[in-house]
Amino acid sequence: MADAPTPQPVAIETEAAAAPPTAGKRRRLLTILAIVVVVIAALWGLWYFIFEAGRVHTDNAYVGADSAQVTSLVSGPVAEVRVGGTQAVKKGDILVVIDDADAKIDVATAEAAFRLAQQRFGQSAAQADSARAKVQSRDAEIAQARARLIDADATLERTRIELARRQQLISSGAASGEELSSARAAYDSARAARELAKAGIASAVATQNSAGGDAAASEALVRGTTIDTNPDVASARARLDKARLDLARTVIRAPVDGIVTNRQVQVGQRIAAGVPIMTLVPIASAYVDANFKESQLRHVKIGQPVELTSDYYGGDVVFHGKVTGFAGGTGAAFSLIPAQNATGNWVKVVQRLPVRVTIDPKDLNAHPLRVGLTMDAVIDTRGK
C-alpha cells in the first residue's frame, strides 16, 4: 500500500505540458488580427489618398437662379392672362394682354399732332420763300423811286431855267407877269415833286428793311433744318413713337425662358405700371451656392470641378459643375443683425462662405432642378 503511486502529480504535469500550445495559438491569432487591421487601415488609407484626399464636402448648398421679375410698363385693365403657375414658357411668349383702347387713342392723337407739325413746317418754309420774294420786290420799288427822283431833278432844273428866263424877260417887257407867276409855280411844283421822290426812296428802303426782318424771322424757323430734323416735327415724332411703344407694351411677353412662379394677376384686374405680376425662374441656367466652412477653403480655387447630388433625384444622379466665384463676405456679415464679436464672452464660431458653382447645362437639361433645393457638393481641389 505504501508503494502505490498518487495520481495528482501526473495531472499537474499533463496540464503544464498542454499550456504552451494554447498560448502560442492565442499569439498567432492576435498576430493575424493585427495584420488584418493593418492591411485594412492601409487599404483605407490608400483608398482615401486616391479618391478622397483633396476633396472638400458640404451638404449646406442650395439651388439658385437669376429669376426675372415680370412687371407691366403701362397701366390698364387686364384683358387676358395666358399662362398659369408652374407653366414653362419660352422667351417672347405672351404672358398677359392689357386692354389697349386708351393706348390706341393716344397713338391716333400723336399721329394727328405729328401731321400738324409737318404742315406747320411746310407753312414756315413757304412764308420764308414769300418773305424773300417781298424783299426782292422792294428792290424794284427802290429803283422806281430813284428813277422818279432823277425825273424830278430834271423837271426841277428845267423849271428853274424857265423861271430864270422869265425873270430876265419881265424887266424888258417881253414877258407878262402872268407868265412869270406860272413859271414860278411850275418851279415850286417841281421842287415839291423832287422832295416827294426823295421821301419815296426813304419809304421804299424802310419797307425793304421791314421785309428783310420778316424774311429773317421766317427763315430762322426753317434755317438749317429739314422736315425730318425740324425740332417741332422731331418732338411730335418722339411723342408718336412713345405712344406706339406704350401700345406695344400692352402685350407683356416673357423676357427669358423659365417656369412661371408667384403669379399675381387676374383677368379684369387693373394693374399699375411697375407693379410685379409674376416671376419667371430660368431653371436652365440654375446654379448652386455651396456654403463651405472657412477651414475647408484653403485649397479651393476658381475653375475646380465639383460633383453635386440632390435628394430630388437621389444619389444615382450626379451633377457636374465647376467653381466660378466666391461671395464677398460670409452670411453672418450680411445678416440683418450682424454678430457683435467685440464682447467679453466671445466664443469663436466657424463661419461659412458661399461658393458659386455653375452646373453643366447638359446635366440640367437631363435633370432639371428647382430653386431652393438642397444639394450635396464635393469640390476636388486637385482638379484644374
Side-chain angles (χ1 to χ4, degrees):
M1 295 295 292
D3 295 333
T6 61
Q8 291 181 354
V10 176
I12 293 173
E13 292 178 359
T14 303
E15 290 179 2
T22 302
K25 183 177 180 180
R26 185 181 296 112
R27 283 196 297 270
R28 285 195 298 271
L29 289 176
L30 291 176
T31 302
I32 293 173
L33 180 60
I35 293 173
V36 170
V37 171
V38 171
V39 170
I40 291 175
L43 291 175
W44 182 88
L46 181 63
W47 173 86
Y48 180 84
F49 179 79
I50 295 175
F51 297 102
E52 290 297 323
R55 292 162 61 91
V56 291
H57 171 273
T58 184
D59 57 0
N60 188 354
Y62 302 89
V63 178
D66 295 326
S67 301
Q69 194 83 283
V70 179
T71 60
S72 175
L73 299 179
V74 294
S75 60
V78 177
E80 297 179 51
V81 179
R82 299 191 180 182
V83 296
T86 72
Q87 181 176 338
V89 296
K90 296 291 185 181
K91 181 178 180 180
D93 288 350
I94 296 177
L95 305 177
V96 177
V97 178
I98 299 175
D99 187 357
D100 59 358
D102 294 338
K104 288 181 177 179
I105 294 174
D106 293 340
V107 170
T109 303
E111 286 178 345
F114 177 61
R115 288 193 293 268
L116 181 60
Q118 290 178 318
Q119 290 179 351
R120 287 177 177 174
F121 177 81
Q123 290 176 351
S124 298
Q127 289 175 356
D129 294 338
S130 176
R132 285 191 293 267
K134 288 181 180 180
V135 172
Q136 294 175 356
S137 67
R138 295 296 181 256
D139 291 337
E141 291 179 1
I142 293 175
Q144 291 176 358
R146 288 174 177 171
R148 286 193 294 269
L149 178 60
I150 293 173
D151 182 68
D153 287 339
T155 302
L156 179 61
E157 182 63 19
R158 187 178 69 252
T159 57
R160 186 188 65 78
I161 294 173
E162 186 66 25
L163 177 60
R165 187 169 64 248
R166 290 288 186 271
Q167 288 176 345
Q168 291 177 356
L169 293 177
I170 194 66
S171 60
S172 61
S176 62
E178 183 179 354
E179 292 177 341
L180 180 60
S181 297
S182 177
R184 183 176 287 108
Y187 174 74
D188 292 339
S189 176
R191 186 168 58 185
R194 181 177 181 276
E195 295 299 325
L196 183 61
K198 284 183 178 181
I201 293 175
S203 177
V205 170
T207 303
Q208 185 187 45
N209 292 335
S210 177
D214 293 340
S218 299
E219 289 178 354
L221 297 175
V222 297
R223 184 184 300 117
T225 63
T226 63
I227 194 170
D228 294 325
T229 60
N230 179 262
D232 292 336
V233 176
S235 177
R237 183 187 297 108
R239 289 192 294 271
L240 176 58
D241 292 340
K242 176 64 168 56
R244 288 173 176 171
L245 181 61
D246 289 342
L247 177 60
R249 285 173 172 172
T250 58
V251 178
I252 303 176
R253 299 180 180 272
V256 295
D257 298 348
I259 304 295
V260 176
T261 306
N262 196 25
R263 198 194 78 174
Q264 304 178 22
V265 61
Q266 302 294 336
V267 175
Q269 175 185 352
R270 183 174 183 84
I271 58 177
V275 176
I277 58 176
M278 66 182 67
T279 302
L280 293 184
V281 181
I283 59 174
S285 58
Y287 54 80
V288 171
D289 283 332
N291 302 302
F292 284 92
K293 296 179 181 179
E294 54 187 321
S295 58
Q296 295 177 297
L297 299 176
R298 181 180 305 172
H299 302 293
V300 176
K301 307 293 181 183
I302 292 177
Q304 290 175 343
V306 184
E307 292 182 355
L308 305 114
T309 57
S310 172
D311 292 340
Y312 189 68
Y313 291 106
D316 294 336
V317 177
V318 178
F319 295 87
H320 300 85
K322 63 180 179 179
V323 177
T324 55
F326 299 87
T330 64
F334 296 104
S335 62
L336 185 61
I337 303 177
Q340 178 53 263
N341 294 326
T343 59
N345 57 349
W346 172 79
V347 177
K348 181 177 180 179
V349 177
V350 177
Q351 300 297 311
R352 290 180 179 266
L353 183 71
V355 177
R356 177 65 55 87
V357 177
T358 301
I359 307 175
D360 190 339
K362 295 180 180 179
D363 293 343
L364 281 175
N365 290 334
H367 300 90
L369 294 171
R370 297 296 186 269
V371 173
L373 294 178
T374 59
M375 303 285 286
D376 289 343
V378 179
I379 301 177
D380 187 354
T381 60
R382 301 168 301 178
K384 298 181 179 180

